[in-house]
Amino acid sequence: MFKRILVANRGEIAMRIIKACKEMGIQTVAVCSQADQHSPHLKFADKSVCIGASHSSQSYLNMQAILQTALQTQCQAIHPGFGFLSENALFSAMCNQYNITFIGPRPTAIKLMGDKSNARQTMKKAGLPIIPGSDKTMSSLKEAQEIAKTIGFPVLLKATAGGGGKGMRICHNLEELEKNFTEASYEAEKAFGNKGLYMEKYLIDGRHIEFQVIADSYGNAVHLGERECSVQRNHQKLLEESPSPVITPEQRDSLGKKIVKAVQYVGYQNAGTMEFFMEQGNLYFMEMNTRIQVEHPVTEMVTQIDIVKEQIRIAANHILSFQQDQIANKGHAIECRINAEDPENNFRPAPGKIVRFQPPKNIGTKNLRLDTFVEEGYTIPSFYDSMIGKLIAWGETRSEAISILKKALEEFVILGVPTTIPLHLKILQNEAFVQGNYNTSLLKKISL
Ligand code: MV4
C-alpha cells in the first residue's frame, strides 16, 4: 500500500479523500492555490504546499507543479478527485512516466471515454443499447443532414470532446440543423479545442440514471447499482438519489450484468460511472465518466462500500475485495448539493464570508452524512465552483429518507451567503418528487 498520497484537488472532495487516507493509515499532502491558502482542508492533511496562483490554470490544473510537488514530498500516488485533472489522459500518462500512480483509470481508457462519439460506438459493440444517431464524428453538414433524415427530427448535436451537456444543440428541421451545425462546431472548437460533433435522436423529458462501476487491475468488475440524477438545472445536478424510484430489481440486474461486461470489454480499471438516459422505460448509454463523482455518497450509503478507499486499493494493485453477489443495496439515500448561490439572481454563484455555520444534529449517524470543507468565518473564494457541501440522508425507505433530509435541512443554518437549502426544501415537498414521478424537467416547474 502507498505510504503517502498527494491530493490534487480542493474543497469537500479533498477532505473526503484525506479522510479515506487517514482511515487507511496513509499520509497525505494537500496542494492549494493562493486563494485557498486558508482553506480548512490544508490543516486536515499531514502537509500542505501552495503550488500557484488562484486561477486554476496556474494551480489545480498545473501538471508540472503538481508532479514536482509529489516528487519533492515523496508521494507515491496522486488522487485527482473530480474536475480539474481527473479526466486528463495526458496527466495520467505523465504520472506513469514519473513513476507516480494516478488513482484512476489508465490513460487509454480516459482517452477512449473522453471521445464521446467513440465511447458510444465502443459501448454499442460491447452490447449496451445506445440512442439512434451518427456512428462516428460527422465530417460535414451534408453527412449530418443525411443522418438526420434517417433517424428523424428532432435531433441533438453534441460535441465529441464535450460531455455533461455542454455545447448541445437541439435541431427540429433541416434549416435549424444547418445553422446549428456551423455554430456548434465553432463553439466546440473554442471550448474544447476540437470541433467534432456527433448526432443523436433528441429524446424529450427523460430521466438521467447512472450506474457506478468498480474494476480492479485483474479484470474483476462489479456494479454498485444506480443513481437517479434527474433533478438538474442548466446541466448542474442538484439532488441525487439511490436507488432510482423507477428501476426494478430485474432491470438493475440485467442492465448491471451488461454494464459489467462492457467494463471488462474495454479493460477499464478503477471507479467509473456509466450515464444512461431513460425514455419510456428504456435505458440508453450516453457517456462514461472516468472519475469519482460528486454524488458517490448516495451509493456508499446504500452499499456500505467506501468507493474512495476502493479506488486507492485498486490503484495499489489490490484485488477487488468483494464480488457482485456480496453487494447488497439496502435502504434509500438522497443527497442535496449545498451551493452558495443566489436564487434571486438566477442562481448565480454568490461567494462571500460564511458568518454562521451550524450543521444539523445527528451528522455521523447511520441516517445523516455531511461532506463539507467550510466552517464558520470561512470566506468562499470566487475562483472555483459554488458547492460548499453535500448533505446526505439514509432511510429504510424513500419516504423515510425524504423526511430525515427535510428535518436536517430545516436545522441547517448557514448565514452570510445565500444557499440552495430553500430550493431543496421546495423540491422535497413537490408532489411529483415525493411520488418519484419526475424527469429532467422537474426543476423548470419549481420556483422559490
Ligand atoms: C440527451 C438528452 C436527450 N436526448 N441526449 C445532458 C447531459 C449530457 N450527459 C447529455 N444530456 C442529455 N442528452 C439525447 N439524445 C437529454 C439530456 C439531458 C438534458 C437535456 C436538456 C435539459 C436537461 C437535461 C438533463 C439531463 C439530460
Side-chain angles (χ1 to χ4, degrees), residues 41-102:
H41 84 275
L42 305 177
K43 291 176 290 189
F44 198 45
D46 293 294
K47 185 183 168 68
S48 69
V49 180
C50 182
I51 53 166
S54 302
H55 197 276
S56 37
S57 63
Q58 304 296 305
S59 45
Y60 301 108
L61 289 171
N62 186 341
M63 302 191 237
Q64 285 300 341
I66 291 168
L67 285 164
Q68 226 171 65
T69 306
L71 292 171
Q72 278 163 2
T73 57
Q74 289 158 321
C75 287
Q76 296 131 328
I78 296 179
H79 198 307
F82 46 64
F84 299 124
L85 295 170
S86 61
E87 292 178 286
N88 188 310
L90 174 62
F91 182 64
S92 158
M94 279 170 72
C95 288
N96 295 344
Q97 265 172 27
Y98 284 93
N99 254 323
I100 294 168
T101 304
F102 176 83

Side-chain angles (χ1 to χ4, degrees), residues 131 156 158 164-165 168 200-203 208 232 235 275 277 286-287 440:
I131 301 168
L156 193 55
K158 296 184 175 185
M168 299 193 322
E200 281 177 359
K201 175 100 186 163
Y202 178 55
L203 307 177
H208 178 138
Q232 318 199 355
H235 302 297
E275 250 183 48
F277 196 76
M286 278 205 301
E287 46 187 86
T440 50

Side-chain angles (χ1 to χ4, degrees), residues 24 69 181 333:
M24 295 172 83
T69 306
F181 189 88

Side-chain angles (χ1 to χ4, degrees), residues 288-302:
M288 182 171 191
N289 301 322
T290 58
R291 57 168 192 270
I292 186 80
Q293 300 222 163
V294 173
E295 59 272 27
H296 76 276
V298 291
T299 301
E300 295 188 327
M301 296 285 265
V302 295

Side-chain angles (χ1 to χ4, degrees), residues 139-397:
S139 52
S140 65
L141 169 64
K142 191 164 167 290
E143 190 183 351
Q145 289 167 331
E146 291 307 318
I147 299 164
K149 280 183 206 157
T150 315
I151 64 175
F153 286 100
V155 298
L156 193 55
L157 293 174
K158 296 184 175 185
T160 300
K166 267 178 281 172
M168 299 193 322
R169 294 287 176 112
I170 304 167
C171 314
H172 295 93
N173 50 52
L174 285 170
E175 293 80 67
E176 278 183 23
L177 176 58
E178 181 165 0
K179 181 168 169 286
N180 285 340
F181 189 88
T182 318
E183 287 179 9
S185 7
Y186 175 79
E187 277 181 22
E189 171 76 60
K190 241 187 0 186
F192 314 113
N194 176 345
K195 67 177 168 54
L197 301 175
Y198 66 104
M199 184 188 286
E200 281 177 359
K201 175 100 186 163
Y202 178 55
L203 307 177
I204 300 156
D205 283 353
R207 305 179 74 121
H208 178 138
I209 294 172
E210 59 186 31
F211 276 72
Q212 176 73 55
V213 298
I214 310 188
D216 67 17
S217 49
Y218 307 96
N220 304 302
V222 295
H223 75 87
L224 302 184
E226 79 284 359
R227 296 183 285 259
E228 168 78 59
C229 306
S230 298
V231 183
Q232 318 199 355
R233 61 188 314 286
N234 304 328
H235 302 297
Q236 290 293 107
K237 294 169 189 162
L238 253 162
L239 177 151
E240 303 95 349
E241 56 180 314
S242 186
S244 161
V246 293
I247 298 279
T248 64
E250 294 72 34
Q251 233 173 345
R252 180 175 306 114
D253 283 355
S254 88
L255 184 56
K257 282 199 178 82
K258 288 186 194 168
I259 288 169
V260 167
K261 276 205 184 120
V263 161
Q264 289 168 325
Y265 175 81
V266 295
Y268 191 83
Q269 291 177 27
N270 218 281
T273 299
M274 296 259 198
E275 250 183 48
F276 290 80
F277 196 76
M278 184 191 238
E279 192 219 28
Q280 305 196 347
N282 299 312
L283 287 150
Y284 304 94
F285 170 83
M286 278 205 301
E287 46 187 86
M288 182 171 191
N289 301 322
T290 58
R291 57 168 192 270
I292 186 80
Q293 300 222 163
V294 173
E295 59 272 27
H296 76 276
V298 291
T299 301
E300 295 188 327
M301 296 285 265
V302 295
T303 60
Q304 298 290 317
I305 290 168
D306 188 313
I307 301 171
V308 175
K309 285 184 188 168
E310 282 308 317
Q311 285 192 292
I312 296 169
R313 287 191 197 108
I314 287 164
N317 284 320
H318 288 208
I319 193 160
L320 207 59
S321 61
F322 45 82
Q323 294 179 347
Q324 192 67 55
D325 59 9
Q326 294 172 294
I327 301 164
N329 295 33
K330 187 170 175 288
H332 199 100
I334 310 178
E335 168 182 279
C336 289
R337 297 192 189 192
I338 315 289
N339 301 340
E341 290 173 0
D342 188 359
E344 311 276 286
N345 220 325
N346 198 28
F347 292 91
R348 269 235 306 270
K353 184 171 174 175
I354 297 172
V355 298
R356 181 106 207 239
F357 190 78
Q358 192 181 304
K361 297 188 287 281
N362 300 331
I363 296 293
T365 65
K366 72 177 195 329
N367 291 114
L368 271 183
R369 166 171 169 180
L370 177 64
D371 282 21
T372 187
F373 69 111
V374 307
E375 44 194 45
E376 213 160 272
Y378 174 74
T379 299
I380 306 161
S382 58
F383 293 95
Y384 317 105
D385 71 352
S386 60
M387 191 171 72
I388 52 180
K390 306 176 308 206
L391 181 64
I392 309 104
W394 181 90
E396 299 279 353
T397 62

